[in-house]
Amino acid sequence: LALRAELRRRGAFEAAQQPRIDALLDLVALGTIADVGRLDDNNRRLVSLGLKRIRTGRMQPGISALFAAANRDPAKATSQDFGFALGPRINAAGRLAEMGLGIECLLTDDAARAQALARQLDAINRERRDMESGMREQAELMLEALMPKDEPPAALALFDPDFHEGVVGIVASRLKDRLHRPTFVFARGQDGLLKGSGRSIPGFHLRDALDLIGKRHPGLLVRFGGHAMAAGCTIAASSFDTFRDELQRVAEAGIEPALLARQLSTDGPLAPECFTAEAVAQMDAAVWGPGFDAPVFSEEVEVLGQRLVGERHLKLSLRVQGTVRDGIWFGRTEPLPDRAQLAYRVSLDEFQGRQRVQVVVEGMGD
């Protein structure tokens, strides 16, 4: 918009003949959500307009191809598709292969070329998921051996010679979410130095913590950068223990104990009349993200049945407000008590052409 306005001011064209750039709104929407941009009034409008175009079939060939590769229906596109389906496929190329693959997929006007690139990105993303899963399992085993039984330290730093540099950030994010602690994960780079990626929790500025560590130990950090919630650094392999210990000291001094307990804001119980496919579809169609969080509900429920599926997820049968509902808790393996105060969102589970409302558990109260 700024470029077009400047060209117009210079007389390159009149307002009536100026280029139409609304055709780029699908890319604007993807970039805003995939890069975790804050959904202020303006950004939320732009994402909404981008989604509207995609749902009516007006999109770049690359975005159409990515929807197909992810087995998602663009006619039902949501902001979650950008964050959890399209974005990871584009990013996977930069993590494990060549970043230019994702860029070319978004830029090309050739539909056949876009489809070929999208299939390639999908294959790379599957490789990335397998690698991430293995690294996360290894990291969790390391944590079990390193952590005290009662309470984890205020911050975590992990390194294993088999970790891959391309996915340390994703693994750090997963561990941070699970333990609610600032977390760094390191892998050895081709130059022999350790490349670390960190993720933080609200109340602990990760980049400032690195700056403090660098001042206390000149030369420890070969380079570093980032912001409050995500940062990266490079250190010598011999410096890892010093870095880990110093990160924990900085976190212990800088994080209020109350901030180490995970808190989840909710909207209270969901009204019974909203447990419908129509209501859930309406919620899904809205634009959610940073600064405009998706609704999360909470109430006490009765746990009628529970079993593990896929070895990592808890499939549930719940009595919610007197009605039996299907539920699932992704990433949870420990059993629930007979009654529990659960925080949850609702989603549509489609099976054999039938839609059912499913409770997706986000957390459990004490």
Side-chain angles (χ1 to χ4, degrees):
L1 283 168
L3 174 62
R4 187 177 70 173
E6 177 62 20
L7 289 171
R8 189 172 60 238
R9 189 189 66 81
R10 296 185 185 187
F13 39 69
E14 299 292 332
Q17 290 81 37
Q18 66 185 2
R20 290 285 301 269
I21 56 177
D22 55 337
L24 302 176
L25 280 168
D26 55 344
L27 294 174
V28 173
L30 170 63
T32 302
I33 296 296
D35 204 35
V36 202
R38 184 170 179 81
L39 293 180
D40 55 21
D41 287 352
N42 192 56
N43 280 344
R44 194 160 183 267
R45 290 188 185 99
L46 292 172
V47 173
S48 297
L49 290 169
L51 282 170
K52 185 176 181 180
R53 291 186 65 89
I54 289 172
R55 289 167 186 160
T56 57
R58 295 175 293 170
M59 68 195 96
Q60 312 301 318
I63 288 189
S64 176
L66 285 167
F67 267 98
N71 198 27
R72 301 289 180 102
D73 183 0
K76 301 177 181 177
T78 69
S79 53
Q80 287 82 2
D81 290 328
F82 294 144
F84 297 105
L86 276 66
R89 283 167 170 79
I90 298 168
N91 288 337
R95 298 182 193 280
L96 300 184
E98 168 54 50
M99 185 188 303
L101 294 174
I103 297 171
E104 185 184 353
C105 183
L106 295 178
L107 288 179
T108 184
D109 292 324
D110 184 333
R113 178 62 177 158
Q115 290 168 7
L117 288 166
R119 287 193 294 269
Q120 190 174 354
L121 291 169
D122 184 60
I124 296 171
N125 190 55
R126 286 197 297 273
E127 180 184 355
R128 188 272 307 166
R129 283 202 303 261
D130 292 341
M131 187 178 296
E132 175 203 335
S133 178
M135 279 179 57
R136 188 172 67 238
E137 290 177 4
Q138 177 65 19
E140 289 173 351
L141 289 174
M142 293 171 64
L143 288 174
E144 290 178 7
L146 294 172
M147 286 195 318
K149 296 296 183 183
D150 50 355
E151 187 74 12
L156 303 166
L158 296 173
F159 162 68
D160 188 276
D162 293 329
F163 285 175
H164 190 284
E165 182 183 349
V167 293
V168 289
I170 298 173
V171 175
S173 180
R174 299 286 192 267
L175 295 176
K176 180 268 299 181
D177 289 343
R178 180 189 161 202
L179 296 169
H180 198 69
R181 295 292 191 274
T183 301
F184 263 90
V185 177
F186 287 85
R188 195 184 303 276
Q190 293 183 350
D191 56 4
L193 297 172
L194 301 190
K195 311 296 176 67
S197 186
R199 299 294 184 269
S200 194
I201 61 175
F204 186 68
H205 197 297
L206 206 55
R207 194 268 175 199
D208 287 355
L210 291 178
D211 186 49
L212 180 56
I213 291 171
K215 287 182 170 64
R216 289 181 178 178
H217 298 270
L220 175 67
L221 302 179
V222 178
R223 51 186 170 271
F224 72 94
H227 52 82
M229 301 303 289
C233 66
T234 300
I235 62 175
S238 59
S239 301
F240 175 75
D241 289 346
T242 303
F243 176 87
R244 179 196 60 216
D245 296 344
E246 193 59 39
L247 177 67
Q248 290 179 2
R249 276 193 284 271
V250 171
E252 287 167 0
I255 302 178
E256 294 291 333
L259 296 177
L260 293 176
R262 184 185 178 216
Q263 296 183 349
L264 187 62
S265 298
T266 76
D267 299 284
L270 177 63
E273 61 268 23
C274 292
F275 274 98
T276 65
E278 294 75 19
V280 175
Q282 197 170 5
M283 284 187 270
D284 286 345
V287 178
W288 310 109
F292 207 91
D293 293 330
V296 176
F297 308 98
S298 64
E299 58 192 290
E300 185 175 284
V301 305
E302 184 180 356
V303 181
L304 303 176
Q306 50 189 312
R307 59 185 175 87
L308 279 178
V309 293
E311 297 183 355
R312 300 186 59 86
H313 315 300
L314 202 58
K315 184 69 174 175
L316 302 165
S317 177
L318 307 171
R319 193 185 305 278
V320 184
Q321 301 176 16
T323 302
V324 178
R325 307 281 183 190
D326 288 334
I328 192 164
W329 192 339
F330 293 109
R332 170 91 180 196
T333 57
E334 298 85 359
L336 303 186
D338 293 339
R339 298 194 68 86
Q341 181 78 21
L342 299 182
Y344 64 90
R345 54 186 175 86
V346 286
S347 71
L348 285 180
D349 181 29
E350 298 192 27
F351 182 68
Q352 294 182 343
R354 294 180 60 247
Q355 291 184 330
R356 293 182 300 175
V357 177
Q358 179 176 241
V359 171
V360 180
V361 181
E362 297 286 339
M364 180 169 62
D366 296 332

